[in-house]
Amino acid sequence: MNSFATRVLNGPITQAHCQALDASDPLAPLRHRFSLPPNVIYLDGNSLGAMPAAAVERAQTVVAQEWGNDLIRSWNSAGWKELPNRLGNLIAPLIGARENEVVAVDGTSINLYKVLSTALRISHEERPHARRIISERSNFPTDLYIAQSLCEQLDYELVLIEEEALPECLQDDVAVLLLTQVNYRTGAMLDMKSITSAAHAKGILTIWDLCHSAGAVNVDLHGSNADFAIGCSYKYFNGGPGAPAFVWVHPRHVNRYAQPLSAWHGHDAPFAFVTDYQPAPGIQRYQSGTQAVVSLSLLECGLQVFQEAQSLGGMVALRRKSLALTDLFIALVEQECAKFGLMLATPREHYRRGSQVSLMREYGAGLGDDSGAYAIIQALIARGVIGDFRAGGGKGSPHLDILRFGFTPLYVGFEDTWNAVKHLREVLEKEEWKNPEFNRRNSVT
Ligand SMILES: *Cc1c(COP(=O)(O)O)cnc(C)c1O
């Protein structure tokens, strides 16, 4: 475990230093593409991205004009039918996919069901003896739940491993490797290319969940030769609450089978209304039923900001700023909060880090057996610094509670980071988190 030591190198970091970083930030103008309340420092874009300012007018147009006035004609006149494909094409270059290889539809869990089923069918045909799915124990639970469901239906076994067990666990009896590129708890990033290549050496298919990496780090699906990918768009893509997710399938697999939720929008001719299912060619077959048009329309506002970012250096510049922000946050926590029992859960090495920083405290450092992590986050939120909390396993568990801070380079600045740490120090120094109000848990943490 990684304890914070007091930083003595090169003297302390100052607020003026952070202001100077903002002044020379080429991405700073993008902050104005978002509407955030005053006096809020938003460090939870890894959970629900901020609202693009354009979303308000877009919602007004979609609801009042396209729906209210133009009614059903909008499927054609407003391009509703094309939304999954059009938005997929905005997402594709951000994840290393090509034109017409991605659709924006349904949710991440649903899309995982589709691709995992297909991967298992392909694997069954080629390597029928391989009956295992491997994933990480610390993967986001919904991914594991979907895998468990398919294991029950199709008689596969889900094997959960720790990251250190890769790649030795990739053996002949493994059908599919299901991994999330950036871990939701710790922000640790996996090496997609080398892991995929190790899996392929054994004939194993790979599914990559990009929920915490799409829009935050450079993802290169083709460069990594991945097989399938899914991800959500309400996190770093700023698509809005419950925004539709996306799905990508490598062209070598996409036409092999229909996906299991074979519904009419994935049909080759949905408006022919024929009785037999005939999958559309390519990724269009990964559509299922009618989509949430209002939500899809708002996602376009989030993706348009990335188009604008293209002229300012695109994902390369965003990644550079994200690392600078998380480096700064780590250094400032070391400088300002060294004596409060915080530990760093996120890797320090850039190539191993996503776009968040997770801190931990031991159980017993809070009230009773508690770590105090939840209460610290609540006290920060009361001061306008919004991060979140992810539960560990409780006393006796190897997993500690996490205080999670996401850094979306589109709208978080360097002085924001300074101020966030200043508030964190004050919450700890003044023991504000001990207030009973901050220790009562809400249902959504
Ligand atoms: C956020 C997240 C999800 C969310 O799935 P939904 O179906 O959109 O609720 C799934 N997997 C990972 C790894 C996530 O981080």
Side-chain angles (χ1 to χ4, degrees):
M1 228 167 284
N2 223 332
S3 289
F4 279 119
T6 311
R7 178 192 165 97
V8 278
L9 301 167
N10 308 326
I13 303 167
T14 62
Q15 184 165 12
H17 172 74
C18 298
Q19 287 165 341
L21 290 172
D22 280 332
S24 62
D25 171 15
L27 297 171
L30 296 174
R31 166 72 183 78
H32 306 292
R33 295 291 168 266
F34 293 89
S35 165
L36 281 158
N39 306 319
V40 160
I41 299 172
Y42 194 61
L43 303 180
D44 217 354
N46 53 317
S47 209
L48 174 65
M51 185 183 75
V56 175
E57 200 186 315
R58 183 84 188 106
Q60 176 73 23
T61 306
V62 176
V63 173
Q65 179 66 37
E66 296 177 7
W67 178 21
N69 192 72
D70 302 343
L71 292 159
I72 200 161
R73 292 168 288 190
S74 286
W75 279 105
N76 292 310
S77 62
W80 286 355
K81 179 79 175 70
E82 296 310 313
L83 275 168
N85 193 41
R86 194 166 78 233
L87 301 193
N89 282 335
L90 294 180
I91 293 169
L94 303 174
I95 56 174
R98 299 182 189 136
E99 183 97 359
N100 298 326
E101 287 183 359
V102 178
V103 280
V105 288
D106 300 321
T108 306
S109 310
I110 309 287
N111 289 335
L112 174 57
Y113 186 88
K114 298 174 195 170
V115 296
L116 181 53
S117 307
T118 312
L120 291 174
R121 275 190 86 171
I122 293 172
S123 170
H124 182 69
E125 182 185 302
E126 294 177 353
R127 300 170 58 242
H129 60 280
R131 306 305 299 175
R132 292 183 145 181
I133 300 169
I134 299 256
S135 192
E136 272 192 273
R137 185 172 301 282
S138 67
N139 200 347
F140 195 93
T142 200
D143 295 39
L144 305 182
Y145 304 158
I146 292 286
Q148 283 161 20
S149 163
L150 280 164
C151 282
E152 269 178 41
Q153 292 175 55
L154 302 173
D155 200 22
Y156 279 80
E157 181 193 5
L158 177 64
V159 179
L160 299 182
I161 56 146
E162 310 298 326
E163 187 192 328
E164 299 73 53
L166 281 169
E168 295 88 89
C169 66
L170 302 176
Q171 299 300 334
D172 278 341
D173 58 354
V174 178
V176 173
L177 177 62
L178 164 61
L179 293 173
T180 297
Q181 189 183 14
V182 173
N183 187 280
Y184 78 104
R185 285 172 53 82
T186 62
M189 180 158 70
L190 297 174
D191 182 341
M192 182 185 286
K193 190 171 180 172
S194 72
I195 294 172
T196 299
S197 145
H200 286 176
K202 294 282 183 182
I204 300 165
L205 293 168
T206 56
I207 299 177
W208 289 93
D209 185 327
L210 308 180
C211 278
H212 284 272
S213 43
V217 304
N218 302 304
V219 181
D220 190 1
L221 290 170
H222 273 287
S224 305
N225 199 21
D227 296 290
F228 301 87
I230 45 154
C232 83
S233 60
Y234 51 78
K235 293 173 182 164
Y236 291 101
F237 283 156
N238 308 304
F246 61 88
V247 51
W248 171 84
V249 177
H250 193 284
R252 66 177 167 260
H253 302 306
V254 75
N255 287 325
R256 287 188 61 172
Y257 291 106
Q259 51 93 359
L261 303 176
S262 51
W264 69 305
H265 281 268
H267 192 282
D268 191 30
F271 286 87
F273 294 104
V274 295
T275 44
D276 288 331
Y277 186 71
Q278 172 63 43
I283 197 67
Q284 299 311 323
R285 67 180 55 192
Y286 279 79
Q287 293 200 46
S288 290
T290 308
Q291 289 303 302
V293 168
V294 179
S295 269
L296 271 172
S297 304
L298 298 186
L299 167 56
E300 190 158 28
C301 300
L303 295 172
Q304 276 162 351
V305 183
F306 282 87
Q307 285 194 300
E308 199 177 330
Q310 206 50 47
S311 63
L312 302 173
M315 278 313 305
V316 171
L318 287 167
R319 174 63 171 158
R320 193 181 305 127
K321 180 175 173 189
S322 153
L323 286 170
L325 287 167
T326 50
D327 274 348
L328 176 66
F329 183 78
I330 292 170
L332 283 172
V333 171
E334 288 176 330
Q335 176 178 302
E336 303 290 320
C337 307
K339 56 182 186 230
F340 299 110
L342 293 167
M343 290 166 285
L344 180 64
T346 302
R348 288 173 190 271
E349 306 91 326
H350 284 178
Y351 75 98
R352 295 254 303 122
R353 191 194 307 161
S355 199
Q356 73 186 55
V357 177
S358 298
L359 307 177
M360 306 177 289
R361 291 214 321 169
E362 300 271 13
Y363 294 110
L367 302 181
D369 276 353
D370 198 83
S371 67
Y374 178 80
I376 294 169
I377 288 291
Q378 293 306 309
L380 280 172
I381 292 173
R383 284 169 164 265
V385 179
I386 304 184
D388 66 18
F389 162 84
R390 287 292 174 264
K395 206 171 166 70
S397 152
H399 293 305
L400 297 181
D401 286 345
I402 297 262
L403 302 91
R404 199 168 64 150
F405 302 94
F407 291 84
T408 302
L410 291 170
Y411 53 78
V412 176
F414 295 94
E415 194 179 13
D416 291 335
T417 306
W418 168 272
N419 284 324
V421 176
K422 184 187 71 142
H423 284 295
L424 176 61
R425 190 193 65 218
E426 287 174 9
V427 161
L428 292 162
E429 224 161 44
K430 299 180 179 166
E431 302 196 329
E432 276 174 23
W433 59 272
K434 288 191 174 167
N435 182 338
E437 185 194 326
F438 297 143
N439 284 272
R440 262 193 304 274
R441 295 221 182 159
N442 292 319
S443 61
V444 174
T445 61

